[in-house]
Amino acid sequence: MRALRAEVDLNAIRHNYRLAKAQSPQSKAVAVVKANAYGHGAVRVAQALAAEADAFGVACIEEALELRQAGISQPIWLLEGIFAADELALVEQHQLSMAVHCPEQLSWILAYDFSQPVDMWLKLDSGMHRLGFDPHSYRQAFQALQASGKARVLGKMTHFARADELDHDYTRKQIERFMQVCEGLPGPVSLANSPGTLGWPAAHGDWLRPGLMLYGISPFEVAHPRADQLKPAMRLVSELIAVRELGVGEPVGYGGRFVTDKPMRIGVVALGYGDGYPRQAKDGTPVLVNGCLTRLVGRVSMDMLTVDLTDLNEAKVGDEVVLWGEQLRTNQVAPYCDTIPYELVTKLTRRVPVHYSE
């Protein structure tokens, strides 16, 4: 069997959740496990956090039902709400909490005959311009839900567009707009995603929504004292399956993108874009072989990639290759792939077995 695997440290995820809570001890925190817990395994992550998580956050009802079927009893937030009116029966049956972000959802809710109220979070578009009621219609929508008696808890939420840019003023403006629009409206508030949790104390509110940071990945492109305390949860590991000795001027891989400029040792690694590693990874993308830093050379293939072993004379077939982990962060790898850490971890395919440790 291929040695390729993703090793997930559940204790690291617990540490990161506690770090999120420590930023605002008076706040509760939704552990966001959408997109299969950012590629880490939603069920296993939720089970690992079940003893302490205040709630879990998912993108859609399919993800919520997967958690309920696995025995997760904590509140589950549908962060995009419902996609059709007939989902309201499942929301009620499984006592899910749902975002309400558009007039269509509001009309479905007002027309539905609930046997018991459910928790709702009315979303304000404070400047992201993706989902949410605009500031002019928000209070009217809030009052309609409040008068309906169909919301057990009626909260107020928004989402930040640029909270990862700590030197940009846009997040402060979003916070101010949210507070102005919601002034005097009762109920809890939720604003802070991962960068909001770590970098914008004014956004903490009643409920934090840590996502990326749960998995030990900083949401910032620069060093940050609180983000630097995160523990990476995933280690993507494979091994060398071949070693080649090449002379000067030899092309490596499809298209000959990389050509040797001196005699070189080239290692072949059992991992490719069919496993979710980015095909667009550039020559020079950092890789660890036996704990030593080296680089990717040549195009990534479906099942393999090639690395420079010229200065690693002892490297041989069967040796460990780490694509990212504690010693090589996804934040370091992503720029070489013209992407972001979110995409690296969520794009791993089912060909990559996940091994969990406590």
Side-chain angles (χ1 to χ4, degrees):
M1 296 175 66
R2 298 168 88 204
L4 175 63
R5 63 196 182 277
E7 299 172 351
V8 173
D9 182 350
L10 297 173
N11 269 329
I13 294 174
R14 294 188 189 99
H15 164 85
N16 298 329
Y17 180 80
R18 293 165 189 158
L19 181 65
K21 294 268 290 194
Q23 306 312 304
S24 181
Q26 76 279 7
S27 304
K28 295 183 178 181
V30 180
V32 179
V33 294
K34 64 180 181 176
N36 198 30
Y38 292 52
H40 293 68
V43 169
R44 290 298 300 271
V45 169
Q47 289 171 337
L49 290 174
E52 53 192 295
D54 299 308
F56 293 101
V58 298
C60 56
I61 206 155
E62 296 94 326
E63 293 179 338
L65 296 182
E66 180 185 32
L67 298 184
R68 284 286 186 253
Q69 290 161 6
I72 299 300
S73 59
Q74 281 85 353
I76 299 175
W77 290 28
L78 298 173
L79 295 171
E80 295 175 32
I82 55 172
F83 294 85
D86 59 8
E87 292 182 358
L88 285 169
L90 291 170
V91 169
E92 183 180 15
Q93 178 185 350
H94 296 282
Q95 280 294 288
L96 305 177
S97 305
M98 59 179 167
V100 183
H101 64 72
C102 65
E104 291 79 8
Q105 289 179 338
L106 178 60
S107 65
W108 296 337
I109 291 167
L110 296 178
Y112 185 77
D113 184 18
F114 286 88
S115 62
Q116 55 182 329
V118 299
D119 294 351
M120 301 181 194
W121 290 84
L122 188 66
K123 190 165 193 175
L124 172 70
D125 177 8
S126 60
M128 181 78 171
H129 300 322
R130 194 176 61 179
L131 299 179
F133 286 83
D134 65 60
H136 303 291
S137 59
Y138 186 83
R139 295 180 74 92
Q140 183 179 356
F142 188 94
Q143 291 161 0
L145 284 175
Q146 189 178 41
S148 75
K150 297 178 179 183
R152 188 177 69 92
V153 171
L154 181 53
K156 306 170 290 293
M157 69 184 300
T158 194
H159 193 63
F160 295 134
R162 307 185 70 165
D164 57 323
E165 301 175 59
L166 294 169
D167 58 349
H168 203 286
D169 200 40
Y170 198 68
T171 300
R172 182 186 60 79
K173 292 179 179 177
Q174 283 194 260
I175 295 170
E176 290 176 354
R177 185 173 295 131
F178 179 85
M179 296 304 180
Q180 289 169 359
V181 172
C182 296
E183 184 178 5
L185 296 179
V189 301
S190 177
L191 299 88
N193 53 1
S194 287
T197 297
L198 291 169
W200 298 88
H204 286 164
D206 299 297
W207 282 86
L208 311 171
R209 302 194 307 272
L212 185 72
M213 67 172 292
L214 289 183
Y215 310 102
I217 301 171
S218 173
F220 308 119
E221 292 185 357
V222 297
H224 185 279
R226 288 180 286 279
D228 291 346
Q229 299 175 48
L230 295 168
K231 294 183 178 180
M234 181 188 289
R235 187 171 178 262
L236 183 62
V237 186
S238 190
E239 67 178 25
L240 295 173
I241 60 171
V243 177
R244 309 299 306 276
E245 303 279 352
L246 299 180
V248 179
E250 296 292 341
V252 176
Y254 284 119
R257 183 183 72 182
F258 179 84
V259 179
T260 61
D261 59 359
K262 60 184 177 182
M264 294 184 66
R265 297 182 80 225
I266 301 295
V268 182
V269 182
L271 170 71
Y273 63 77
D275 304 295
Y277 193 86
R279 183 180 180 274
Q280 68 268 28
K282 301 172 184 176
D283 295 331
T285 301
V287 177
L288 295 175
V289 176
N290 290 336
C292 299
L293 185 65
T294 185
R295 58 178 178 148
L296 179 144
V297 293
R299 286 183 185 164
V300 175
S301 305
M302 183 179 289
D303 311 306
M304 292 171 278
L305 55 81
T306 43
V307 297
D308 182 3
L309 301 179
T310 305
D311 296 327
L312 304 178
N313 295 325
E314 303 301 317
K316 62 186 183 304
V317 170
D319 285 352
E320 181 181 82
V321 179
V322 175
L323 291 308
W324 59 71
E326 187 171 3
Q327 304 305 319
L328 179 61
R329 304 293 180 101
T330 51
N331 300 73
Q332 297 170 263
V333 176
Y336 288 89
C337 305
D338 293 326
T339 189
I340 54 177
Y342 298 78
E343 190 173 26
L344 290 182
V345 291
T346 58
K347 275 201 163 182
L348 294 181
T349 71
R350 64 180 183 178
R351 290 210 311 180
V352 183
V354 182
H355 297 182
Y356 293 94
S357 65
E358 292 287 345

